[in-house]
Amino acid sequence: MQNATQLLNDTLISKSLSAADYVPTLDAMLSRTLARIDLKKQQGLRTPDELWIVDHNDVYTLGQAGKEEHILQRTNTPIIKTDRGGQVTWHGHGQLVVYWLFDLDSLKWSVRNLVSHAEQAIEDIINDCLHSASLPNTANISAHARRDAPGVYLYADASAADNDANTDTNNLSFDSTIMLGKMASLGFKIKHGFSYHGIAINLNCDLSAFNAINPCGYAGMQMLRLSDFVTMQKEPAAQTMQPISESLSYETITQKLIDNIAKRHAGLIELRAITPK
């Protein structure tokens, strides 16, 4: 497991982990959170918040209240019981996982604020990618969160199917849309005002791993990946002559997301009104 740390601003750092096994990562994340809680309680210190960008080895994780019945088939992939919210999901290569180790009280964020910032950051990045590098026949597709089911989903605007005009994805009417499936999941744990765990976005992963579970506890939920809707480099480090507007990589999408989250953390991006769906 390799890791690299980057200072994003005075109160936020990012840490990258590659080929990371789940249990050691969870143990390290919990240990860091408990240490930060202790420093704040005992010495009144505000430590920098952390974004952990993780490339996980294949694993199924079951949330704290997760039900075994949502595991439909046992495979060679380990199943780990964890302390986050939510049901069962899969993590693995080609999926972008970001853990948010934030001091919510210092940020003056509620848990709802945290969830909304996470969902809206994902919406921003997916919609930006769809706009800049979408494949033919995907111009009317956009990403949105739902009130009734945490995560971010892709919707097709049926009313605009025959139009070439751009769709304003922030003001999309859900009356004329069709939900295609889910592209990103989220689940957090809050301990003494500190968050950990986070979000997972399917970029160019093998979606067949989701066939063995009811993703996030929803039977029949169609899972999606971004590479089926935009032009992505097949290998993360591959060299390409295509301009970035035509070809996206795992790294460029990751950096877009980190930049967006950092701006939200600094108060430079405010929350939008929450979608009615």
Side-chain angles (χ1 to χ4, degrees):
M1 181 172 68
Q2 300 176 337
N3 66 75
T5 301
Q6 177 184 3
L7 180 66
L8 300 177
N9 57 49
D10 290 341
T11 57
L12 182 64
I13 63 175
S14 68
K15 178 178 179 180
S16 298
L17 305 173
S18 62
D21 288 331
Y22 187 80
V23 172
T25 305
L26 174 60
D27 290 346
M29 185 165 51
L30 177 57
S31 177
R32 180 61 189 143
T33 299
L34 292 175
R36 296 183 67 204
I37 291 171
D38 188 62
L39 282 169
K40 186 172 184 179
K41 283 187 174 182
Q42 302 300 325
Q43 302 179 39
L45 294 179
R46 180 183 179 182
T47 50
D49 289 335
E50 302 180 15
L51 288 174
W52 288 22
I53 297 90
V54 185
D55 167 40
H56 270 303
N57 293 323
D58 283 13
V59 65
Y60 292 108
T61 68
L62 193 62
Q64 195 164 27
K67 299 177 180 178
E68 297 274 346
E69 65 198 54
H70 292 303
I71 301 170
L72 307 178
Q73 178 183 352
R74 300 282 173 165
T75 69
N76 293 328
T77 301
I79 302 170
I80 307 297
K81 183 82 172 180
T82 187
D83 60 348
R84 62 162 173 77
Q87 292 288 329
V88 64
T89 194
W90 169 86
H91 297 312
H93 303 301
Q95 183 187 69
L96 174 55
V97 174
V98 181
Y99 295 134
W100 300 45
L101 282 67
F102 282 11
D103 178 350
L104 299 183
D105 292 340
S106 293
L107 287 172
K108 296 181 171 54
W109 284 11
S110 65
V111 176
R112 180 66 250 180
N113 291 156
L114 172 69
V115 171
S116 294
H117 272 299
E119 290 178 330
Q120 291 183 17
I122 298 168
E123 289 176 350
D124 288 349
I125 280 17
I126 294 178
N127 285 325
D128 180 66
C129 291
L130 289 169
H131 177 75
S132 65
S134 61
L135 295 171
N137 303 318
T138 61
N140 301 315
I141 294 174
S142 54
H144 299 274
R146 292 171 51 176
R147 287 299 303 271
D148 60 338
V152 175
Y153 304 76
L154 288 195
Y155 289 85
D157 184 3
S159 68
D162 297 324
N163 298 328
D164 293 328
N166 291 331
T167 300
D168 182 348
T169 58
N170 288 333
N171 295 295
L172 186 67
S173 170
F174 283 93
D175 294 336
S176 61
T177 60
I178 301 170
M179 194 190 82
L180 303 178
K182 186 174 188 178
M183 185 168 286
S185 305
L186 69 155
F188 291 98
K189 174 71 175 181
I190 312 298
K191 191 179 290 289
H192 299 285
F194 285 75
S195 68
Y196 58 107
H197 291 286
I199 65 177
I201 310 173
N202 300 326
L203 296 186
N204 53 5
C205 52
D206 182 354
L207 294 176
S208 65
F210 289 104
N211 294 338
I213 61 174
N214 288 327
C216 302
Y218 291 91
M221 174 61 71
Q222 178 67 48
M223 298 300 289
L224 307 175
R225 62 182 180 180
L226 188 60
S227 60
D228 288 330
F229 298 87
V230 305
T231 303
M232 280 190 67
Q233 296 175 18
K234 297 196 180 296
E235 297 297 332
Q239 297 297 317
T240 177
M241 297 302 293
Q242 292 178 286
I244 188 61
S245 62
E246 297 179 8
S247 182
L248 296 165
S249 70
Y250 187 98
E251 286 89 350
T252 57
I253 296 169
T254 298
Q255 192 59 53
K256 284 174 180 283
L257 182 63
I258 292 172
D259 291 345
N260 187 287
I261 297 171
K263 288 178 181 178
R264 292 173 179 277
H265 185 272
L268 301 177
I269 297 179
E270 296 183 357
L271 286 173
R272 298 186 289 272
I274 298 175
T275 176
K277 286 286 275 189

